[in-house]
């Protein structure tokens, strides 16, 4: 696969999209970023700015705010939040590109997305995190064993396009994992997100740091996580990553202590910044609502309190 032949569109210029754009540009691919409003203006004026080894750097990027139907790419990476994923797919519906990769959690399955873009859909999950502050990307790199990008066909078959996508990631030196059951993986991950991030808001406002780091908050995460994991198992979801099968066997006290420690980290303090917390809340609400719909469709009821 020649890098000069691969055209990549990153649809969404937030943390995830920016990280992949940087890595693919550095690997020599023809990369375009789709962005809106202030982010579009910033990328055109200053390039894609990011922090590396304590210094702010910039990489030149081709950026657009309008996508023509005949502007065809080998791969389109949809890197928006879950609550914006459907509207993004509608924006891509008439574009003629053959491979549309959604990089987000999904708590209900793919039927509505397939209705929009058909079998061009390829579900995935990103291997990065972080924040954008003052138009500068601050990446958060997780341990490599959990930082790989995950992708796979909905039917689990390793197709030619999966192999081509794997080659693209190899060229960019990005770790990846091919999954045979992306629906189970994404629903399991959604449960984790719902349990661990729903604490950000309490009574329609961002929770304060003191309340966030209490045993009460940690126990709420423990109970929510275990309840939903058992519920999706009842609905026929295979827990993936498998460590969540072990989580169900851990004593609540042990999990409470783990989450109390996690709630006091700098990562969690950063999550409680208003922009991040409000955006995360919108996504978690959508994931939670869709998860409840998924469980209802499978005649499963669950209570987290």
């Amino acid at each position: 696969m020649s890098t000069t032949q691969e055209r990549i569109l990153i649809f969404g210029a937030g943390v995830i999209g920016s990280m992949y754009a940087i890595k693919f540009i550095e690997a020599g691919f023809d990369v375009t970023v789709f962005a809106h409003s202030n982010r579009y203006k910033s990328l055109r004026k200053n390039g894609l700015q990011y922090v590396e080894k304590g210094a702010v750097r910039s990489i030149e990027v081709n950026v657009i705010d309008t996508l023509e139907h005949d502007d065809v790419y080998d791969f389109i990476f949809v890197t928006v939040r879950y609550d914006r994923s459907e509207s993004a797919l509608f924006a891509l519906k008439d574009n003629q590109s053959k491979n549309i990769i959604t990089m987000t959690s999904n708590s209900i399955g793919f039927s509505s997305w397939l209705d929009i873009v058909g079998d061009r859909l390829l579900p995935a999950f990103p291997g990065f995190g972080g924040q954008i502050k003052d138009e500068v990307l601050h990446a958060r790199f997780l341990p490599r064993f959990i930082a790989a990008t995950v992708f796979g066909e909905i039917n689990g078959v390793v197709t030619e396009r999966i192999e081509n996508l794997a080659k693209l990631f190899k060229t960019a030196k990005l770790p990846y994992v091919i999954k045979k059951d992306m629906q189970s993986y994404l629903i399991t991950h959604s449960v984790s997100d719902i349990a661990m991030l729903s604490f950000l808001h309490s009574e329609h406002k961002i929770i304060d740091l003191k309340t966030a780091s209490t045993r009460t908050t940690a126990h709420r995460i423990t109970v929510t996580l275990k309840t939903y994991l058992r519920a999706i198992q009842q609905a026929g979801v295979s827990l993936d990553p498998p460590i969540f099968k072990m989580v169900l066997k851990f004593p609540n006290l042990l999990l409470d202590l783990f989450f109390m420690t996690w709630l006091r980290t700098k990562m969690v303090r950063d999550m409680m910044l208003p922009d991040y917390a409000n955006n995360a809340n919108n996504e978690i609400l959508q994931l939670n609502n869709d998860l409840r719909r998924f469980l209802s469709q499978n005649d499963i009821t669950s209570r987290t309190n």
Side-chain angles (χ1 to χ4, degrees):
M1 181 179 68
S2 171
T3 59
T4 59
Q5 296 175 346
E6 296 301 310
R7 293 193 77 216
I8 297 171
L9 176 65
I10 308 292
F11 194 92
V15 171
I16 304 304
S18 297
M19 283 301 308
Y20 283 107
I22 292 169
K23 294 298 183 181
F24 290 144
I25 290 170
E26 289 178 343
F29 293 107
D30 180 357
V31 178
T32 298
V33 174
F34 181 94
H36 279 308
S37 304
N38 291 336
R39 187 64 174 156
Y40 169 79
K41 295 175 183 177
S42 174
L43 291 173
R44 281 184 61 91
K45 180 180 179 181
N46 304 313
L48 209 167
Q49 296 177 291
Y50 61 102
V51 173
E52 183 179 73
K53 297 180 180 179
V56 176
R57 305 183 185 278
S58 178
I59 189 168
E60 185 176 349
V61 59
N62 181 40
V63 58
I64 60 174
D65 62 354
T66 303
L67 179 64
E68 302 297 335
H69 299 335
D70 60 354
D71 187 11
V72 177
Y73 296 84
D74 295 287
F75 294 100
I76 296 180
F77 290 85
V78 181
T79 58
V80 300
R81 298 194 316 265
Y82 178 69
D83 53 307
R84 295 182 176 178
S85 56
E86 194 161 298
S87 62
L89 292 177
F90 272 116
L92 296 169
K93 181 178 180 180
D94 296 321
N95 182 270
Q96 297 170 24
S97 302
K98 294 182 178 180
N99 302 303
I100 299 176
I101 304 162
T102 49
M103 307 202 75
T104 182
S105 291
N106 181 314
S107 56
I108 197 169
F110 308 113
S111 60
S112 65
W113 292 358
L114 288 167
D115 287 343
I116 301 170
V117 297
D119 60 7
R120 295 181 293 164
L121 179 70
L122 185 62
F125 193 80
F128 298 113
Q131 291 183 54
I132 293 177
K133 300 178 182 178
D134 299 322
E135 299 299 332
V136 177
L137 172 66
H138 297 255
R140 182 182 299 118
F141 294 97
L142 301 172
R144 288 186 67 85
F145 74 95
I146 60 173
T149 301
V150 176
F151 55 83
E153 296 283 2
I154 293 173
N155 62 8
V157 176
V158 179
T159 58
E160 182 180 357
R161 69 173 177 174
I162 288 291
E163 292 175 346
N164 288 337
L165 186 58
K167 291 176 184 177
L168 185 150
F169 273 76
K170 284 180 181 178
T171 301
K173 298 180 180 179
L174 287 169
Y176 67 92
V177 174
I178 299 172
K179 288 283 182 181
K180 291 185 176 181
D181 188 353
M182 282 301 299
Q183 178 163 307
S184 287
Y185 179 85
L186 292 176
I187 291 177
T188 306
H189 200 281
S190 296
V191 166
S192 173
D193 283 348
I194 291 166
M196 296 177 70
L197 297 180
S198 59
F199 79 91
L200 288 174
H201 278 75
S202 179
E203 298 178 352
H204 306 291
K205 63 181 180 180
I206 300 170
I207 195 171
D208 64 275
L209 184 59
K210 183 177 179 180
T211 303
S213 59
T214 62
R215 168 77 184 277
T216 300
T217 302
H219 187 67
R220 175 179 150 199
I221 295 173
T222 296
V223 171
T224 301
L225 180 61
K226 281 192 169 184
T227 300
Y228 274 153
L229 287 176
R230 292 191 182 101
I232 63 174
Q233 271 191 320
Q234 285 182 271
V237 173
S238 177
L239 299 187
D240 186 15
I243 191 172
F244 285 107
K245 297 176 184 178
M246 298 174 58
V247 166
L248 287 175
K249 299 177 181 180
F250 289 162
N252 283 3
L253 176 60
L254 184 61
L255 286 175
D256 289 354
L257 292 173
F258 170 80
F259 287 123
M260 283 181 69
T261 302
W262 176 71
L263 288 165
R264 295 171 185 180
T265 61
K266 182 181 184 300
M267 180 175 72
V268 170
R269 291 198 301 272
D270 288 345
M271 286 177 181
M272 293 170 63
L273 294 172
D275 285 347
Y276 185 101
N278 285 324
N279 290 335
N281 187 54
N282 293 334
E283 182 172 33
I284 294 304
L285 286 174
Q286 182 78 50
L287 284 169
N288 199 15
N289 289 339
D290 284 352
L291 179 63
R292 290 178 181 272
R293 283 173 53 204
F294 171 77
L295 294 174
S296 177
Q297 291 168 3
N298 287 276
D299 297 320
I300 307 296
T301 59
S302 64
R303 294 182 179 180
T304 60
N305 51 35

